[in-house]
């Protein structure tokens, strides 16, 4: 179980892209899709909706996702949005979050995208069990990466919330991928994600214990070198015009407690799993 030098590659990737402005003018046109990652999640597709299966931790984490989004919306100096929200769930997988968001009373629509056709078949099949979800375009799934999705031409077609739950740690080049996401968020909207800090604590808990000892997740689910620290995330968004202004960044750690599930832990964002939210300046206009 070698870890020698594994943190260096990802650290340089992200720090280079946030200190230099080579990605600041336009997102990369190269696809963020990693065939190895797609193959891994294809193998898990059939058990995605089994609450005791390989995606058990995602099912348990889902309520905290909604809690964190609510905290972001309620943190705005201006009042929280009174209109119904449009969601774009990037890397939606089997639809655990997308379905739950589509059922909320303040949701206008949810679009889930994922590069895995096999996993999307599972998402679509499960959603069809609830006719309400497919009424009036409330929930739709697209077999696309973010780079393949047309950028909305108007503010009305942009999204109030763009979610990236358990996605960043599976991306080879996180900075250009994130830049591809930014134009989809409407002014005043939020980009919300969950990921894992790259520390020795996270290696011990997510790689050694979770994958090798107690097998909470399948072996090979994570690659420690791809984890992104919370401060690196802040630095990236501060380098982007119209993002991460005063009071527009929120972060919260979370920890899995056996027998109890996931719990929010203030300060945990510096050493393990965490949620991160950043708001687009309401006055920002696209070039």
């Amino acid at each position: 179980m070698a870890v020698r030098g594994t943190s260096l590659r990802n650290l340089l990737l992200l720090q280079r892209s946030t200190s230099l402005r080579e990605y600041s003018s336009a997102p990369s046109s190269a696809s963020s899709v990693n065939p190895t990652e797609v193959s891994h999640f294809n193998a898990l597709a059939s058990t995605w909706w089994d609450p005791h299966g390989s995606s058990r931790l995602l099912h348990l984490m889902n309520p905290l996702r909604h809690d964190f989004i609510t905290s972001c919306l309620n943190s705005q100096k201006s009042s929280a949005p009174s209109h119904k929200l449009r969601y774009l769930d990037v890397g939606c997988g089997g639809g655990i979050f997308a379905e739950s968001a589509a059922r909320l009373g303040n949701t206008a629509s949810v679009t889930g995208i994922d590069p895995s056709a096999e996993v999307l078949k599972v998402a679509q099949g499960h959603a069809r069990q609830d006719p309400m979800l497919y009424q009036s375009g409330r929930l739709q799934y697209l077999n696309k990466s973010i780079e393949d999705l047309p950028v909305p031409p108007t503010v009305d077609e942009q999204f109030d919330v763009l979610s990236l739950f358990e996605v960043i740690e599976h991306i080879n080049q996180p900075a250009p991928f994130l830049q591809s996401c930014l134009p989809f968020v409407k002014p005043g909207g939020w980009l919300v994600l969950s990921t894992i800090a790259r520390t020795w604590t996270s290696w011990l808990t997510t790689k050694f214990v979770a994958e090798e000892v107690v097998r909470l997740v399948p072996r090979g689910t994570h690659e420690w070198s791809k984890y992104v620290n919370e401060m690196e995330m802040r630095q990236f968004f501060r380098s982007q015009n119209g993002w991460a202004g005063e009071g527009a960044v929120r972060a919260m750690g979370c920890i899995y407690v056996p027998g109890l599930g996931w719990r929010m832990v203030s300060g945990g964002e510096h050493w393990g799993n965490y949620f991160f939210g950043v708001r687009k300046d309401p006055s920002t206009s696209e070039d």
Side-chain angles (χ1 to χ4, degrees):
M1 196 180 302
V3 297
R4 179 167 50 91
T6 53
S7 66
L8 181 60
R9 178 175 62 85
N10 192 59
L11 181 62
L12 293 178
L13 265 176
L14 193 57
Q15 288 185 333
R16 180 180 64 188
S17 59
T18 55
S19 60
L20 303 176
R21 300 305 175 94
E22 60 185 14
Y23 297 125
S24 61
S25 59
S28 170
S29 60
S31 175
S32 58
V33 178
N34 182 330
T36 301
E37 295 282 1
V38 172
S39 177
H40 175 80
F41 288 107
N42 279 345
L44 305 178
S46 63
T47 61
W48 207 281
W49 280 95
D50 180 356
H52 304 291
S54 60
S55 297
R56 175 172 176 266
L57 293 185
L58 300 183
H59 286 274
L60 293 173
M61 181 182 278
N62 203 47
L64 273 68
R65 296 168 171 174
H66 290 287
D67 290 345
F68 184 74
I69 290 175
T70 299
S71 74
C72 289
L73 297 174
N74 290 340
S75 72
Q76 301 172 187
K77 291 183 179 179
S78 56
S79 59
S82 58
H83 61 277
K84 291 191 173 184
L85 305 178
R86 300 184 71 243
Y87 289 81
L88 176 61
D89 190 22
V90 179
C92 64
I96 295 172
F97 173 75
E99 269 202 28
S100 60
R103 290 192 176 94
L104 297 176
N106 66 340
T107 295
S109 66
V110 178
T111 299
I113 66 171
D114 200 281
S116 169
E118 291 300 314
V119 172
L120 276 188
K121 287 179 183 177
V122 171
Q124 293 165 336
H126 193 272
R128 289 191 187 100
Q129 299 176 27
D130 185 349
M132 182 275 288
L133 294 177
Y134 273 90
Q135 292 176 358
S136 305
R138 193 176 183 90
L139 173 63
Q140 67 168 333
Y141 290 115
L142 302 174
N143 183 207
K144 293 180 179 291
S145 67
I146 191 67
E147 295 86 1
D148 294 331
L149 197 66
V151 173
T154 67
V155 170
D156 287 343
E157 295 174 85
Q158 292 175 313
F159 296 88
D160 299 284
V161 177
L162 186 151
S163 54
L164 293 165
F165 291 127
E166 314 307 312
V167 171
I168 291 295
E169 65 269 25
H170 302 288
I171 300 296
N172 288 335
Q173 297 189 47
F177 168 75
L178 286 170
Q179 285 190 317
S180 294
C181 294
L182 303 187
F184 290 86
V185 183
K186 67 174 52 176
W190 286 83
L191 186 152
V192 180
L193 61 86
S194 57
T195 191
I196 311 171
R198 192 181 60 258
T199 65
W200 289 111
T201 301
S202 68
W203 175 83
L204 178 65
T205 57
T206 67
K207 289 297 296 178
F208 182 69
V209 175
E211 291 190 17
E212 302 294 337
V213 179
V214 297
R215 302 292 175 89
L216 282 173
V217 295
R219 181 179 292 173
T221 296
H222 297 113
E223 185 177 333
W224 186 60
S225 64
K226 293 182 179 179
Y227 292 1
V228 179
N229 291 331
E230 188 263 359
M231 184 52 66
E232 294 169 339
M233 202 71 75
R234 286 180 182 264
Q235 290 171 348
F236 169 80
F237 281 102
R238 286 171 180 164
S239 74
Q240 305 303 302
N241 184 43
W243 289 85
E246 183 179 356
V249 178
R250 294 181 64 82
M252 176 62 68
C254 58
I255 184 172
Y256 177 73
V257 181
L260 297 177
W262 290 95
R263 295 291 185 270
M264 296 284 199
V265 179
S266 180
E269 63 269 22
H270 301 302
W271 49 266
N273 291 76
Y274 67 94
F275 289 99
F276 185 91
V278 58
R279 191 185 186 203
K280 189 174 189 177
D281 192 317
S283 64
T284 298
S285 60
E286 304 297 338
D287 294 333

